[in-house]
Amino acid sequence: MDIIGGCSSQLLASRIAEKIDGRLILAEFKTFPDGEQYTRLLDAVDDEVVIVQSTPTDSDFINLLQLIDACTDAKITAVIPYMGYARQDKQFKDGEAVSARAIARSLDVSRVITVNIHEDSILSYFNTRAESLDATNLLAEHLLDMDLPNPVIISPDKGAIYLARRAAAVMDADYDYLEKKRLSGDTVAITPKKLDIKGMDVILIDDMISTGGTMAEAIATFKSEASSLHAACVHPVLTENAVLRLFHAGVKDIISTDTIEKGVSKVSVASLIASAL
Ligand code: R5P
């Protein structure tokens, strides 16, 4: 099988190719002086190809569209480990574009594979078979290997409690969740909740960390009582000063997967995607 790594997922694509013994296709990415992008495949592709490209930015999404276009004659599986715009999965106000739907409808491929998509309902927006893989076990195995003496897993909002529950099952630990209210793009309010975390190693887990506002606020809730604090997520969007924000707030480390390739991407989802392929 031919594997193409888009500009944002070159490492993950290479890891997947190795796992499935696929042929890694060389591609070229350039940016014109006016900011437009240029994408070219330097190897001919077979009848079936897998394109691996996360879309944390608009230009990553354009790159994905260009790669799909360059493979027009092939049967394409688009692996989008992190799909941007997934948080606009419905109309919250009249007149809003459902961005996740707009993205999904624009992809002319035979199959879509993503990882921990923000809401499963988005899968129905694709015109083709689409599935969301769950990387929680891989994250939890890494957290287990850290040998924390008294781990407890907490999600910073109710929407992510499923991640805390699944990770806690792997780690044989307790789990809970906090109540969050978003105040603006980068600030949230967390309702204080009485949790017995004295002396515990608190692992906060979420599907993504973007500005770090959610995690920083959650960390503040526990800082005085916890023995240690760790932030874990599937998708390390980590915009602007999010990393500084979390360490400044008191985390010992940030652990994420390589759905977005960052310095904190300690856990690879390559095996998960390879199995699905
Ligand atoms: C929201 O529903 C998500 O699950 C995350 O909690 C959120 O996107 C994190 O964003 P930020 O890091 O900007 O607070």
Side-chain angles (χ1 to χ4, degrees), residues 27 31 44 113 150 167 175 193:
T31 306
I113 297 175
N150 296 306
Y175 70 95
K193 187 169 176 183

Side-chain angles (χ1 to χ4, degrees), residues 11-24:
L11 188 55
L12 178 57
S14 307
R15 287 173 173 156
I16 294 169
E18 200 183 329
K19 291 222 176 286
I20 64 169
D21 202 16
R23 186 172 68 115
L24 191 64

Side-chain angles (χ1 to χ4, degrees), residues 82 87 118-119 156-157 159-160 163 180 182 184-188 206-216 237-239 242 245-246:
Y82 170 75
R87 282 171 287 182
H118 188 60
E119 284 293 338
D157 60 31
L163 293 161
K180 171 179 100 176
R182 183 159 288 285
S184 72
D186 63 353
T187 53
V188 299
D206 208 345
D207 61 340
M208 68 183 85
I209 304 174
S210 185
T211 65
T214 300
M215 282 288 185
V237 181
L238 299 174
T239 56
R245 227 173 151 181
L246 296 194

Side-chain angles (χ1 to χ4, degrees), residues 154-246:
I154 297 177
S155 66
D157 60 31
K158 211 170 179 177
I161 192 172
Y162 82 99
L163 293 161
R165 187 188 305 117
R166 287 177 195 171
V170 173
M171 298 177 72
D172 196 17
D174 286 337
Y175 70 95
D176 213 319
Y177 71 97
L178 300 171
E179 295 281 359
K180 171 179 100 176
K181 189 170 176 228
R182 183 159 288 285
L183 305 176
S184 72
D186 63 353
T187 53
V188 299
I190 301 258
T191 310
K193 187 169 176 183
K194 191 67 207 135
L195 296 177
D196 190 13
I197 49 103
K198 200 166 175 52
M200 302 295 282
D201 300 290
V202 175
I203 300 166
L204 287 149
I205 193 165
D206 208 345
D207 61 340
M208 68 183 85
I209 304 174
S210 185
T211 65
T214 300
M215 282 288 185
E217 198 60 34
I219 290 158
T221 314
F222 299 125
K223 202 174 171 183
S224 56
E225 294 212 306
S227 168
S228 68
L229 291 152
H230 311 261
C233 68
V234 178
H235 309 297
V237 181
L238 299 174
T239 56
E240 298 172 355
N241 64 347
V243 171
L244 280 179
R245 227 173 151 181
L246 296 194

Side-chain angles (χ1 to χ4, degrees), residues 115-116 133-140 163 234 257 259 267 269 272:
V115 178
N116 290 91
L133 309 177
D134 181 14
T136 319
N137 283 6
L138 292 172
L139 265 179
L163 293 161
V234 178
T257 79
T259 59
V267 177
V269 293
L272 192 65

